[in-house]
Amino acid sequence: MTRGRVVVIGGGVAGTAAALHCCDAGFEVTVLEARPRLGGVAGSFRRGERMIDTGQHVFLRCYSSYAALLRRLGVFDSVRIQPRFRVPVVAPGGRGWLLRRGRLPAPAHLLPALLGHRALTWRQRSAALRTALALRRLDPHDPALDEIGFAEWLRARREPERTVQVLWGMLIVAALNAEPRQVSLAMAVKVFRTGVLDTVTGGDIGIPQRPLGELHDFPARRALAAAGATVRLRAKALSVQQADQSLRVTVGTRGEEELDADAVVVAVPHAAAAKLLDPLALPEADRWSRLSSAPIVNVHVHYDRPVTDLEFAAAIDSPVQWVFDRTAAAGIDQGQYLVVSLSAAHEYLTARTKDLRERFLPALRDLFPRAHRAEVLDFFVTREPAATFLPKPGVRALRPETRTGVPGLVLAGAWTDTGWPDTLEGAVSSGHRAAEIVDLATSTDYRVAWR
Ligand SMILES: Cc1cc2nc3c(=O)[nH]c(=O)nc-3n(C[C@H](O)[C@H](O)[C@H](O)COP(=O)(O)OP(=O)(O)OC[C@H]3O[C@@H](n4cnc5c(N)ncnc54)[C@H](O)[C@@H]3O)c2cc1C
């Protein structure tokens, strides 16, 4: 006996988490995924013999829901979380130093990181310390903070442009995929407080040691099958409509199939959700269709020999933002394979690969002088035009709740109102929240519970 039929549309990490949770709660679950694989934007593709990630991903120790998903998928041993927050910073001329946390209680654990930032003068470092303490006193849930820009707030505190660039910007561009001037103060507070200010260990960085497909695709298919779900790949949902007491999902390029369900979890990106749910004319869809997106571009370089000993690094005074050694993760045994991750990458999105080569190979040589002697075996670029939503001031009011006005219809995805930026953690927690609402709505009197 099942508790009812649930269709989950979208097999990214949000949809995977929602589907597993619904199976555990006793529902009969079907996952519809338009692509030939699960994992959504956190996935891999084949290039020759290799599995290549569409974009470098990292996570933090404070991502508890994401870590729980990896454990459920049986792949937690395929990621490595550093024992202590430690970010190597590299600068042109082969200069470099470490931003690391200490052993003192929060926030004093950050003293070595802030006071050791050699790109800043001592005066700038102590001002940055005061700014960190001020950020820690702000409440990320305060709606007023969502109306203010982070850069505007930093300016009001008289943080010099240099500190904004090489400290706050270096972290926020990677975490929020936007420049400090483009992000809401509330989102910045969420990132800094949850990530590095509130707890000693929360900001320790986790890095996948395998291609993302080996984390989020095959293991997810296996776990869903074991939990009793039906996973349908290359199955694009066209629309969701109300039908008597249930919801009807139309599937296939020409809508050749219809599936009836007691509940539908829509776990697709916001633009796709607006299209899918158009027949239902949800009033809240007007708001979320105003969410905008930002691109991430990754530049991939395979050298014939190692050019750096660092596993990853943040770069300053360089077009390179963050660079990762992915040699072992990609199973490459000759030379070194580096991935340069470029967030808020509007200027690179439409640039020709040839132009990016001319820009990034010299920049990498400036950072890693050993690259002068290395030959480039392969160079390619991956582009995600709508990688994340843009967390600009006012974004909170645009992000929808999980529950919609239509009984049985729930939303999931990193873009919903999770309190997190567009992250793996936000996505997975949105999936669980969606399943909880499905569970609640079908466990008591269905329609009463919905209201
Ligand atoms: C390049 C890049 C780098 C990133 N780096 C990080 C990082 O370092 N750390 C971090 O925490 N986050 C990072 N993110 C963000 C993170 O990947 C996302 O927040 C998260 O993966 C979103 O998951 P999701 O399930 O909500 O959505 P998605 O992954 O977008 O999944 C939605 C799924 O729905 C499917 N779909 C769409 N329409 C339909 C339809 N009509 N029918 C059926 N299926 C449909 C899509 O094919 C897709 O598989 C990065 C994102 C990108 C793109």
Side-chain angles (χ1 to χ4, degrees):
M1 250 288 274
T2 77
R3 301 223 357 242
R5 285 157 306 165
V6 178
V7 171
V8 176
I9 307 178
V13 291
T16 300
L20 285 168
H21 192 140
C22 287
C23 288
D24 295 348
F27 293 95
E28 181 188 327
V29 178
T30 302
V31 179
L32 300 175
E33 168 52 53
R35 299 184 212 213
R37 56 168 182 79
L38 298 182
V41 292
S44 315
F45 64 95
R46 190 161 280 286
R47 183 177 169 87
E49 306 260 288
R50 313 264 171 245
M51 289 295 280
I52 299 293
D53 291 341
T54 49
Q56 174 64 42
H57 277 63
V58 301
F59 65 99
L60 303 180
R61 197 188 288 281
C62 62
Y63 283 22
S64 54
S65 305
Y66 177 62
L69 178 68
L70 293 180
R71 283 197 185 91
R72 172 74 187 262
L73 302 186
V75 292
F76 192 66
D77 59 356
S78 298
V79 297
R80 196 181 79 80
I81 304 181
Q82 52 184 200
R84 282 213 274 163
F85 173 86
R86 189 175 179 278
V87 175
V89 177
V90 289
R95 289 177 300 133
W97 58 92
L98 263 186
L99 299 187
R100 59 178 178 85
R101 73 165 164 88
R103 293 182 192 276
L104 293 169
H109 68 300
L110 282 182
L111 281 171
L114 290 171
L115 297 180
H117 202 316
R118 290 199 223 148
L120 299 175
T121 62
W122 280 106
R123 205 189 167 105
Q124 288 166 339
R125 294 180 215 187
S126 64
L129 195 57
R130 287 193 295 278
T131 298
L133 294 175
L135 275 169
R136 196 165 183 258
R137 287 193 294 270
L138 297 178
D139 175 4
H141 305 294
D142 178 352
L145 299 194
D146 194 46
E147 300 302 323
I148 304 170
F150 181 44
E152 185 187 331
W153 181 81
L154 290 172
R155 254 197 319 274
R157 293 190 53 82
R158 299 183 192 285
E159 275 287 37
E161 193 46 40
R162 180 74 178 152
T163 314
V164 175
Q165 251 178 30
V166 301
L167 176 63
W168 305 115
M170 181 183 85
L171 298 171
I172 218 72
V173 171
L176 289 179
N177 194 20
E179 303 285 346
R181 66 184 158 74
Q182 298 173 302
V183 310
S184 104
L185 175 57
M187 278 280 113
V189 171
K190 171 73 184 170
V191 166
F192 285 117
R193 282 199 55 179
T194 321
V196 287
L197 293 168
D198 284 0
T199 62
V200 174
T201 59
D204 302 339
I205 294 174
I207 302 189
Q209 303 296 304
R210 316 277 314 152
L212 291 171
E214 291 182 20
L215 263 58
H216 304 146
D217 180 12
F218 313 111
R221 290 193 226 177
R222 201 172 47 221
L224 284 162
T230 303
V231 176
R232 293 182 50 187
L233 302 175
R234 294 191 176 87
K236 181 170 180 172
L238 278 194
S239 65
V240 182
Q241 295 174 61
Q242 276 182 296
D244 302 326
Q245 293 296 305
S246 61
L247 291 165
R248 181 159 299 158
V249 183
T250 314
V251 192
T253 39
R254 289 181 298 282
E256 46 272 42
E257 193 190 346
E258 286 179 338
L259 292 180
D260 283 354
D262 301 295
V264 173
V265 178
V266 174
V268 303
H270 59 90
K275 234 190 242 170
L276 259 178
L277 302 179
D278 191 45
L280 294 169
L282 300 179
E284 61 264 43
D286 273 354
R287 274 188 288 118
W288 88 59
S289 55
R290 279 187 274 136
L291 277 171
S292 34
S293 309
I296 297 180
V297 169
N298 277 209
V299 169
H300 305 249
V301 190
H302 183 186
Y303 291 102
D304 68 342
R305 68 196 72 189
V307 302
T308 173
D309 299 327
L310 298 171
E311 182 188 9
F312 73 95
I316 60 165
D317 302 327
S318 164
V320 174
Q321 294 173 6
W322 288 70
V323 57
F324 296 82
D325 177 3
R326 301 301 289 159
T327 316
I332 291 177
D333 45 25
Q334 189 207 351
Q336 190 171 37
Y337 164 47
L338 298 184
V339 173
V340 177
S341 178
L342 300 165
S343 300
H346 304 270
E347 68 170 301
Y348 302 123
L349 188 61
T350 53
R352 291 178 309 170
T353 300
K354 177 176 161 291
D355 296 335
L356 293 175
R357 188 182 172 110
E358 279 166 16
R359 179 133 206 223
F360 283 95
L361 289 184
L364 285 166
R365 286 197 292 268
D366 283 347
L367 299 175
F368 305 125
R370 279 149 68 190
H372 281 281
R373 292 186 301 276
E375 192 188 323
V376 174
L377 302 177
D378 195 9
F379 181 100
F380 60 98
V381 179
T382 49
R383 299 170 170 87
E384 288 287 338
T388 65
F389 69 80
L390 193 62
K392 57 188 181 185
V395 71
R396 173 91 201 265
L398 303 181
R399 297 175 75 183
E401 281 179 35
T402 308
R403 183 189 298 239
T404 68
V406 175
L409 179 68
V410 294
L411 302 174
W415 56 281
T416 57
D417 190 11
T418 63
W420 286 88
D422 198 321
T423 52
L424 295 162
E425 178 67 9
V428 175
S429 57
S430 80
H432 288 299
R433 171 87 184 126
E436 279 160 13
I437 299 284
V438 167
D439 197 16
L440 180 76
T442 45
S443 59
T444 52
D445 183 296
Y446 187 81
R447 282 165 195 285
V448 173
W450 201 259
R451 287 187 210 107

